[in-house]
């Protein structure tokens, strides 16, 4: 496990695995690099995986500065980490919160991106009133995480309807995911919500037609909200391919790792220079 400082001074935990063209993997909220363990061994046979713990998650820092948690700041950090690793271009894969960040990276730093894969992601919230309401809701949840603690939050988070499809997972997978979430630091999660939540990030909807990277959109067939969002994204992105994994929910790579990996490998092969 590497611990590298970005140009900003923030320290990130990074795991490198495999050889070949680099693939940067960005996890979702409450996750870390271990969330990719169901697909990483197969991907690493052909690609060099760069698995990053985002700020406030896993082994990465939780800086005091409010500005450090903005999507623009974290994207700048990631680019400086790629520079430190001497990686000029990468394939980008992001899940949920990590997908929103990956999309931002691909739009702001197009020359660094060979291809883009977004799993259960969105470009943010276009309507300003809805965005402000979501930001307020995220801030309230952040306050509760800090006052009620991580055990309360994990119980609350895992009870949300978006995870209902995970009832099909083996008990061991449930326990592993819960254990990983319980290792999160309340302060880190709270700051991540305030800085990187859907209400805090800028809406990227208007910029989708300018996206240059070949893009794969992946959603679970049981995730109705993100199926609608990604159908609209496919219409807006010039070179986008939408795949729906049936009988999967929000975290398709966890619930259906074989199907997810096959789709991803085909996309990466087609997008390779």
């Amino acid at each position: 496990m590497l611990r590298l400082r970005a140009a900003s001074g923030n320290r990130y935990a990074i795991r490198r695995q495999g050889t070949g063209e680099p693939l940067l993997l960005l996890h979702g909220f409450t996750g870390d690099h271990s969330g990719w363990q169901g697909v990483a061994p197969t991907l690493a046979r052909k690609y060099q995986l760069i698995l990053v713990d985002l700020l406030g998650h896993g082994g990465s820092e939780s800086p005091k500065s409010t500005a450090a948690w903005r999507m623009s700041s974290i994207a700048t950090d990631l680019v400086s980490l790629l520079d430190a690793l001497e990686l000029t271009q990468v394939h980008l894969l992001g899940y949920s919160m990590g997908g929103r960040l990956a999309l931002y990276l691909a739009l702001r730093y197009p020359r660094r991106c060979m291809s883009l894969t977004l799993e259960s992601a969105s470009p943010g919230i276009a309507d300003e009133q809805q965005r402000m309401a979501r930001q307020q809701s995220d801030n309230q949840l952040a306050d509760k995480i800090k006052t009620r603690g991580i055990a309360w939050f994990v119980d609350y988070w895992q009870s949300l309807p978006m995870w209902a499809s995970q009832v099909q997972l083996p008990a061991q997978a449930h326990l592993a995911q819960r254990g990983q979430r319980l290792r999160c630091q309340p302060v880190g999660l709270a700051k991540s919500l305030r800085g990187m939540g859907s209400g805090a990030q800028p809406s990227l909807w208007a910029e989708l037609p300018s996206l240059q990277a070949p893009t794969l959109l992946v959603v679970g067939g049981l995730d109705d909200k993100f199926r609608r969002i990604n159908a609209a994204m496919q219409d807006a992105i010039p070179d986008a391919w939408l795949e729906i994994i049936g009988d999967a929910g929000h975290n398709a790579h966890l619930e259906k790792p074989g199907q997810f990996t096959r789709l991803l490998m085909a996309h990466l092969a087609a997008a390779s220079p």
Side-chain angles (χ1 to χ4, degrees), residues 58-72:
S60 293
E61 287 186 335
S62 296
K64 294 181 180 179
S65 167
T66 301
W69 297 87
R70 295 173 185 154
M71 183 169 281
S72 58

Side-chain angles (χ1 to χ4, degrees), residues 20-24 48 50 82-83 86-92 109-115 212 271-273:
E21 293 175 3
L23 171 62
L24 177 62
Q48 175 191 174
I50 313 298
L82 294 180
D83 290 341
E86 299 182 342
L87 298 173
T88 304
Q89 284 191 313
V90 295
H91 296 285
L92 269 174
Y109 302 93
R111 294 183 180 179
R112 308 302 294 261
C113 182
M114 285 189 280
S115 74
Q212 298 176 19
S272 293

Side-chain angles (χ1 to χ4, degrees), residues 5 13 17 53 80 84 149 155 159 190 202 221 242 245 250-251 254 260 269 272:
R5 286 197 183 276
Q17 182 177 349
D53 289 351
S80 75
D155 287 341
S159 71
L242 173 62
I245 297 180
H250 193 67
N251 192 337
L254 174 66
F260 179 87
S272 293

Side-chain angles (χ1 to χ4, degrees), residues 223-246:
D223 192 356
D224 291 340
K225 174 182 176 180
F226 281 85
R227 282 175 58 190
R228 294 192 297 270
I229 290 173
N230 279 259
M233 291 171 67
Q234 182 188 29
D235 290 341
I237 298 171
D239 189 11
W241 165 30
L242 173 62
E243 286 287 350
I244 298 172
I245 297 180

